Amino acid sequence: MKIFAAVIAVALPGGGALAQSTPPEDPSLIAYLQQRVGEAADTTRYTAALTPDGKTALVYLTGPAWCGSGGCRLLVLDRDGSAYRSVGEISVARAPIRLLEREDHGRRALGVQVAGGGIIQGYEAAVPFDGRRYASNPTVPPATRIDDAPGETLIRADEEGRPLPPSPDKP
């Protein structure tokens, strides 16, 4: 079974890029997610992508435990040996999720869609890195509203999330 999406960027007219996914298995990521979602595993779906350098995984969680009227949860995880560690958790994000060309403290900012939860006119926000973590809420500073910022799409809006396999300790 294929589980984790790696990214190959394909140039699009107008300078944008769209990530194409070829999902290899990543047991370390699945183990991290199973531990992170806990009891919500039965109703959790996820879409994952690697940054082009292969060092950071973006994991978009959907389901009742992760989504509200403003969007769903986006985990930003760095590979640390054979494990993952969190460098951000964005509470209200909507796909598409983009890796922007803009950098903050040596890391590229993330572009997420912001809509719902009282926001009438949706927009894209740049979520910066502060040197330790990505900002947690794209609707307030330090995140900023952007228009047509260059970058590449890592998680498309039309991607259907995958169910999380049951933990080995569950029947």
Side-chain angles (χ1 to χ4, degrees):
M1 174 169 41
K2 295 184 180 205
I3 303 213
F4 182 54
V7 174
I8 303 168
V10 176
L12 296 176
L18 176 65
Q20 299 295 319
S21 301
T22 308
E25 290 189 18
D26 187 343
S28 297
L29 178 65
I30 297 304
Y32 178 93
L33 293 175
Q34 287 167 332
Q35 180 181 22
R36 173 65 182 84
V37 304
E39 296 297 318
D42 293 344
T43 59
T44 297
R45 296 184 73 81
Y46 75 99
T47 305
L50 286 175
T51 55
D53 64 9
K55 296 178 181 178
T56 302
L58 303 179
V59 182
Y60 188 57
L61 298 176
T62 59
W66 312 110
C67 299
S69 61
C72 299
R73 188 79 42 103
L74 177 66
L75 306 179
V76 185
L77 308 171
D78 276 355
R79 181 90 179 188
D80 189 10
S82 64
Y84 285 88
R85 67 178 178 84
S86 176
V87 290
E89 194 165 310
I90 301 168
S91 59
V92 287
R94 291 178 184 263
I97 310 299
R98 296 190 322 123
L99 185 63
L100 303 177
E101 287 184 13
R102 166 184 151 183
E103 283 193 18
D104 299 291
H105 299 278
R107 284 189 181 246
R108 290 171 67 182
L110 302 175
V112 302
Q113 294 297 309
V114 176
I119 295 173
I120 307 298
Q121 191 89 20
Y123 60 91
E124 184 176 24
V127 179
F129 183 74
D130 70 5
R132 292 182 17 174
R133 300 189 62 72
Y134 280 90
S136 63
N137 188 335
T139 67
V140 297
T144 57
R145 185 181 188 137
I146 56 173
D147 292 310
D148 298 322
E152 53 196 290
T153 301
L154 297 185
I155 297 175
R156 298 183 324 265
D158 64 352
E159 287 185 76
E160 188 173 320
R162 299 179 176 161
L164 204 56
S167 290
D169 60 344
K170 288 197 173 187

